Amino acid sequence: MIGNKQYIEGKTCLITGATNGIGRVTAVELAGMGAELFLTYRDKVRADETVAEIRKRTGKENVHLLHADLGSQKQIRAAAAAFLATDRPLHVLVNNAGLGNTKRVMTEDGIEMVFAVNHLAYFLLTMLLLDRIKQSAPARIVNVASEAHRFGTINFDDLGGERRYSTIGAYGQSKLANILFSYELARRLAGTGVSANCLHPGGIASGLWTNNGTLAQIIMKAGKLFLKTPEQGAQTTIYLASSAKVEGVTGKYYTNCQEKISNKESYDLNVAQRLWEISERMTGVGA
């Protein structure tokens, strides 16, 4: 266990994508350290199984569910409102949910699905909860990105891949957006006591690509021989969420619990500013 039980005990954490893969491992570990959890979910059966596992393995009862399909801005807003209505503080927000698509799919909001779920959901949920997070300082925002950001660029002329859709390009762009968002958020939160960091969990044997048909499922099954387990992949998320060693550290990118330099574009202030402004327009939230 890489985290710090004393540090996280009694803190309130909200985790997206916590009913599968590294999100589920993160939830179990943080609950075991004594955190109160709020978990977003789409599938109620899987969510109930996750809560039951957490309670069985940790003996902790402070686990709550928030329904939200993160491809729907309406549902993200409803989940944020439900959390805010509890009047709980929010010490740790873990934006973890993500997907990869081999085909271009649109959300109900008319936005390409990978960009919507992997970036705009992070942005919208964070912005909706940001005042509560600031009020709860010292607090942390942890965004799960990926080394796949090195294969992407922010294509402002075709963010949704309407002209040309590439599986790796769309995923890489969304993960680069996670990092740009994290760095810009850290700059904007300077002096508030709220940190914002991001991470690469490693290549994970998870269900990320298994919604894309038989070929993708076969590739993922074969890849499990070479990939990290969810337990291994969750360790950097857990570290950033709970370790006293990163108290006050902000605007950084981590892999294997170590700070790492991300790609050149991720440090471009003009790109970060433009992405922020576009994200505000696409989600209807202000700074």
Side-chain angles (χ1 to χ4, degrees):
M1 187 179 291
I2 281 178
N4 186 302
K5 181 175 182 179
Q6 185 176 6
Y7 179 84
I8 201 71
E9 190 167 12
K11 300 289 179 70
T12 305
C13 306
L14 192 157
I15 308 171
T16 69
T19 61
N20 189 40
I22 64 174
R24 189 164 179 163
V25 174
T26 299
V28 171
E29 292 286 351
L30 294 182
M33 296 179 197
E36 179 176 17
L37 300 184
F38 286 81
L39 312 178
T40 69
Y41 74 94
R42 285 189 306 163
D43 184 319
K44 187 63 162 59
V45 172
R46 183 177 288 177
D48 288 341
E49 290 173 350
T50 301
V51 172
E53 178 186 354
I54 291 170
R55 290 175 174 168
K56 180 179 180 180
R57 291 181 57 182
T58 69
K60 307 295 184 182
E61 296 292 326
N62 287 338
V63 187
H64 317 279
L65 294 173
L66 298 167
H67 179 260
D69 180 335
L70 297 179
S72 165
Q73 294 188 12
K74 180 180 179 180
Q75 291 190 33
I76 293 170
R77 290 177 180 278
F83 175 80
L84 294 173
T86 68
D87 290 326
R88 298 286 210 288
L90 183 52
H91 304 104
V92 180
L93 170 62
V94 179
N95 287 307
N96 164 78
L99 58 80
N101 280 337
T102 56
K103 296 180 180 179
R104 186 171 182 266
V105 179
M106 305 301 287
T107 70
E108 65 182 39
D109 301 300
I111 301 169
E112 188 276 315
M113 183 72 75
V114 173
F115 191 75
V117 173
N118 291 5
H119 168 60
L120 291 178
Y122 282 31
F123 184 88
L124 178 56
L125 184 61
T126 300
M127 298 306 291
L128 293 172
L129 298 175
L130 196 55
D131 284 345
R132 180 65 55 82
I133 296 170
K134 290 178 181 177
Q135 293 164 7
S136 308
R140 302 178 181 191
I141 299 167
V142 180
N143 295 321
V144 178
S146 171
E147 276 289 280
H149 80 276
R150 300 186 191 278
F151 300 106
T153 187
I154 306 299
N155 186 353
F156 288 110
D157 294 326
D158 192 23
L159 281 174
E162 184 175 5
R163 298 175 189 168
R164 181 177 181 273
Y165 185 82
S166 158
T167 301
I168 297 301
Y171 187 72
Q173 175 181 249
S174 71
K175 295 291 103 179
L176 175 57
N178 293 158
I179 298 174
L180 284 156
F181 170 51
S182 301
Y183 292 170
E184 180 65 17
L185 184 61
R187 288 187 286 268
R188 292 174 181 240
L189 289 173
T192 65
V194 180
S195 66
N197 293 295
C198 52
L199 67 113
H200 168 58
I204 307 300
S206 70
L208 180 65
W209 298 91
T210 53
N211 62 324
N212 287 288
T214 302
L215 178 59
Q217 292 178 28
I218 292 171
I219 292 171
M220 281 303 300
K221 287 180 180 179
K224 287 184 179 182
L225 296 172
F226 310 100
L227 299 174
K228 287 184 178 181
T229 64
E231 288 73 20
Q232 293 168 327
Q235 294 311 304
T236 305
T237 306
I238 295 165
Y239 176 75
L240 290 176
S242 64
S243 176
K245 293 180 180 179
V246 291
E247 177 65 20
V249 176
T250 190
K252 305 297 183 183
Y253 174 64
Y254 281 78
T255 184
N256 292 324
C257 301
Q258 299 291 326
E259 185 183 336
K260 187 172 183 178
I261 300 299
S262 50
N263 80 355
K264 183 178 179 180
E265 187 175 350
S266 68
Y267 297 102
D268 189 318
L269 299 182
N270 291 326
V271 173
Q273 177 67 28
R274 188 176 178 187
L275 178 65
W276 188 284
E277 292 171 355
I278 288 173
S279 300
E280 285 183 331
R281 292 200 296 271
M282 294 180 77
T283 58
V285 298

